[in-house]
Structures are given as structure tokens and as C-alpha cells.
Amino acid sequence: MSNKQTTPVDKQPMPVAWIMMLGLIVAIGPLSIDMYLPALPTMAKDFGVSTAQISNSVPAYFVGLVFGQLIYGPLSDRVGRVKPLYFGMTLYVIASLICATTDSQYVLFAARTLQALGACVGAVVTRAAIRDTMPPRQMAKAFSIMVLVMGLAPILAPSLGAAFLRFFDWHAIFWFLAAFGVLNLLLTKFFFKETLTEENRSIRPLNTILAQYLDLLKDPSFGYPAVGAGLLMGSMFVYINAAPELLMDGYGLTESQFSLIFGINAAGFILLTQVNQFLTNRFRLISLLRFGATLQTIAASCLLFLGVVYGSEAWLPLVLICIFFCISGLGLTQPNASAIALAFQKHRAGMASALQGSLMFCVGIFGGLLLNLFPVNPVFKLGATMTILMGLGTFSVYRVDRKLNLDSAD
């Protein structure tokens, strides 16, 4: 039965244009995180606080991402994928306008949280839509293609933000993000078709959501890859939180140099996701996931070594090389972990997508707090935090059953 149902689907041509459109919708998330990073020192001066203090707007954004996804997941399983997308994008546009017009850091933090509550719907709905329409191996390829588009955001966003700062003040960045939110509303209206059929929609009462999430976490086919991916991806958000202080304050990089470094790391991530498309034809998804996780942990450990031995005097190129492999390894871990985690979750794909995404940002928040616990040099702080999180993520990845038969997924 498995061969009759799955094999022909695996051989169907990929709807590349549709997947790339989904990537553009998801891109609003990383664009919102990364585009304003070069402006943090300038914003700190305007608000009369330190760069580290204004950087707390990053974890404030993560808080919105965590709770927003947990809401949109079961909602999209119940009412379909399109309606939550309309609501979230509208909320995002409103919050972006508040960010663009405020002169209070506290209003900025609150608006950033609202902005995230809107933006996160894209990640939840697009992952679920891919699960609605594709089997596991095609899902891994689809996530890789989607990263090709959405991955341009962290490459272009810091440079775009730096370009805005040459001609305008930081408020213009949020005006641009509001316009991008409007673009996503238009894409949803004209190109996003409902993928969740009426018969596959959830009829479970909403007051059992917490129990459903706990039940989902107890499923080892979901729990281990999702938690592992969350820890590994969350480490990248720790880097995003620490990067302005480490690179601009610590090593004295300019806004343009900072943007270039950010772009190189994102390019490595994208490159490995595209390599992953071809590797999935030759290797099992679990093997690729384990290799990528091991690569990330080794790179993080090397960064920790530099921090312990050389501290703030660590040679910048070596620090950047370690960070590069920490981030690039995500190209192997994220598409494959997502495909494995969602493979057996046909009737709760929205919840599974939401929980997986929320785990990433929970780690980002926790990692941000962990950074502040180390009253030491920024190289050691980042190395120690990423080594802890990536080590735990790799442990979880290796707990995934190596013999798990993804071809048996419905």
C-alpha cells in the first residue's frame, strides 16, 4: 500500500513557483529581525540607552513569535490556512507602523512583540501547507527551496538596513517593513489557495490545546527532531542577539562590515540548503540531520575554545569562521528536521508546525538570558551559550530512531 500511495507522489514535479512564493511570505520574519540590527547603536543613542539594552527588542520579538505560533497552529488546523494568514499580516502592518512612529523604547518593545505576533503566522501556515500537500522526502526538498527565497532576507536585510541609514533615520526601516506586510497580504489574496480540506480539519475543542501540545511532544517521531531543531536553530537567534555587541562594539566593525558578515553567514546557510536538495536523493534524512548537528556543535566548541584561551583578543577571522559553520550547518539540520517532525502529523500539521517554530524562539529567549549570565568577554559568552544549546540539540537529534521509516507516513 505504501508504494502505491507514496512513490508516485515523490516523483511528481515540485511546484517550485508556489514554494518560492511561500518563502517570500516567511521571509517577513527574518527580515523583521535582521533589517534593523545595523540601526541598534543609533537607536540606542536616540533612546538614551546602551546598545545592549536596546538589543532587548530582539528577545521581545521572540516572545511574540513563541506565543503567536502556539495560537495560530491549532487555529489553522481548525479554520484552514488562509484566514489566520490574513489576520496575522494585518496585525503585522499595524505593529510596524507603531514601531515607525514611536519615540518610546517601551512602546517599541511592545510593538515589536505585536509585530512578531503577526509575522509568525507565515512560518506556521507555510510549513503546514507543505505538509498538507507533500510526502516527507519532497517536504525536505520544499523546505530547502523555500529557504532559497526566505534566506535572502538575512543576506539582504542588514545591508538594506544600512542603506536606509545612509539616507534616512531608523524609522524608515519600519515603514519599509509595513509595506512588505502589505505585499504579503496581496500575495495571500492572489496566490495562496487553501490547502487544508474540510475533512482534514480539527474538531477537537480549543480548551484542550495544552493537552494536545503535550501529547504532541510525547510523540518521539516529532519530539526528538523538533526539540533538536529548536535548540540548533535557537542558537542562531542567540547569535543575532549577541552580534551587534560582539562585532560592532567589541571588534569595532562598521554598519556596512557588520552587514557583510551577516550576509556571508546567511549565504552559507542557503548554500547548504540547496546542497541538501541533492543529498536527500542519496542519503537518509536522519543521517543528514545528524551530520549537520555534529558540524554545528564542533564549530560552537571551537568558538568556545577561542573565548576561553584568547578572550576578546581572539583573532576575528577565526571567530567568524566558527560562527560561519555554526550558522551554515542549519542548512542540513533545519529542512530535514522539519520534514521528519511533520511526517506523521497529517491531522495536526498546524499544531506541529507551530510547536516546532515556538521551540526555536523559546531557545532564542532562553539563550539571550543565558548570555547575560556570563559576566565575561563576548567571544566566550557566545561560544559557551552556543556550545551548550547545540550540544543539547545534537543529543536530541541522535535520539531520533535511525530506523524510522518515513515512507510509511500517510
Side-chain angles (χ1 to χ4, degrees):
M1 181 179 294
S2 175
N3 288 338
K4 290 180 181 179
Q5 292 179 346
T6 304
T7 304
V9 178
D10 281 338
K11 292 182 178 179
Q12 289 179 3
M14 296 285 286
V16 175
W18 181 71
I19 295 169
M20 294 182 76
M21 185 272 293
L22 297 183
L24 196 59
I25 291 176
V26 179
I28 201 166
L31 194 67
S32 302
I33 296 172
D34 299 338
M35 188 173 173
Y36 88 128
L37 292 180
L40 287 178
T42 303
M43 293 173 68
K45 290 179 182 177
D46 283 358
F47 288 118
V49 297
S50 67
T51 301
Q53 284 178 289
I54 204 68
S55 292
N56 288 328
S57 58
V58 176
Y61 188 87
F62 292 164
V63 169
L65 291 176
V66 169
F67 290 103
Q69 291 188 81
L70 293 176
I71 295 170
Y72 290 127
L75 184 63
S76 70
D77 283 340
R78 194 176 186 88
V79 304
R81 313 303 184 199
V82 174
K83 292 179 181 177
L85 201 52
Y86 276 127
F87 174 82
M89 286 299 106
T90 302
L91 178 61
Y92 176 86
V93 171
I94 294 171
S96 297
L97 294 176
I98 295 174
C99 289
T101 54
T102 186
D103 57 2
S104 166
Q105 63 169 317
Y106 301 108
V107 173
L108 176 70
F109 289 173
R112 284 288 286 171
T113 303
L114 284 177
Q115 197 182 32
L117 283 170
C120 66
V121 69
V124 172
V125 166
T126 53
R127 283 194 300 260
I130 287 174
R131 175 59 188 91
D132 291 338
T133 55
M134 298 179 189
R137 195 174 295 275
Q138 274 206 335
M139 274 195 285
K141 293 180 180 180
F143 291 134
S144 295
I145 294 172
M146 197 163 67
V147 167
L148 180 61
V149 179
M150 72 177 229
L152 291 175
I155 288 180
L156 299 177
S159 298
L160 189 58
F164 268 81
L165 293 175
R166 292 193 191 99
F167 301 101
F168 311 102
D169 63 15
W170 59 266
H171 298 85
I173 293 174
F174 291 102
W175 285 108
F176 173 84
L177 293 175
F180 197 85
V182 173
L183 172 63
N184 270 3
L185 282 170
L186 294 174
L187 289 175
T188 301
K189 170 67 176 177
F190 294 107
F191 300 105
F192 190 93
K193 305 302 181 184
E194 184 59 66
T195 60
L196 185 64
T197 58
E198 291 286 346
E199 60 269 23
N200 286 328
R201 296 186 182 184
S202 173
I203 57 173
R204 294 181 181 182
L206 292 177
N207 60 4
T208 65
I209 287 177
L210 180 58
Q212 293 177 55
Y213 274 125
L214 291 174
D215 181 60
L216 187 58
L217 268 179
K218 292 176 184 177
D219 182 350
S221 69
F222 172 83
Y224 288 131
V227 170
L231 287 160
L232 293 166
M233 188 69 177
S235 299
M236 186 186 77
F237 299 122
V238 171
Y239 159 66
I240 290 172
N241 191 15
E245 181 186 6
L246 171 66
L247 299 178
M248 288 196 283
D249 291 349
Y251 282 97
L253 297 187
T254 66
E255 293 168 351
S256 298
Q257 290 170 330
F258 174 82
S259 301
L260 176 62
I261 297 302
F262 233 80
I264 290 172
N265 289 330
F269 176 24
I270 293 176
L271 176 62
L272 274 189
T273 59
Q274 302 318 298
V275 171
N276 184 68
Q277 283 195 67
F278 299 100
L279 293 179
T280 55
N281 295 325
R282 302 176 60 87
F283 302 97
R284 302 183 72 232
L285 301 188
I286 294 174
S287 299
L288 295 172
L289 174 58
R290 288 183 171 186
F291 177 79
T294 303
L295 173 66
Q296 289 184 264
T297 302
I298 291 173
S301 300
C302 291
L303 182 62
L304 174 59
F305 174 80
L306 291 175
V308 170
V309 176
Y310 300 103
S312 297
E313 302 302 317
W315 193 37
L316 179 59
L318 286 179
V319 171
L320 296 178
I321 289 171
C322 292
I323 292 175
F324 175 81
F325 283 105
C326 284
I327 305 304
S328 297
L330 293 168
L332 293 177
T333 57
Q334 296 311 301
N336 299 312
S338 295
I340 295 169
L342 295 175
F344 298 94
Q345 310 303 329
K346 179 178 181 179
H347 296 290
R348 51 183 181 181
M351 291 191 70
S353 173
L355 186 54
Q356 183 186 6
S358 293
L359 285 170
M360 297 177 188
F361 295 107
C362 280
V363 174
I365 295 169
F366 172 74
L369 296 174
L370 197 60
L371 277 174
N372 295 326
L373 294 179
F374 295 110
V376 289
N377 69 82
V379 178
F380 176 83
K381 282 199 299 186
L382 183 59
T385 304
M386 295 182 81
T387 299
I388 292 170
L389 297 177
M390 288 184 169
L392 291 172
T394 300
F395 174 78
S396 183
V397 161
Y398 274 83
R399 297 283 292 172
V400 178
D401 184 1
R402 189 174 179 83
K403 298 180 180 178
L404 187 66
N405 182 14
L406 297 177
D407 290 334
S408 65
D410 182 9

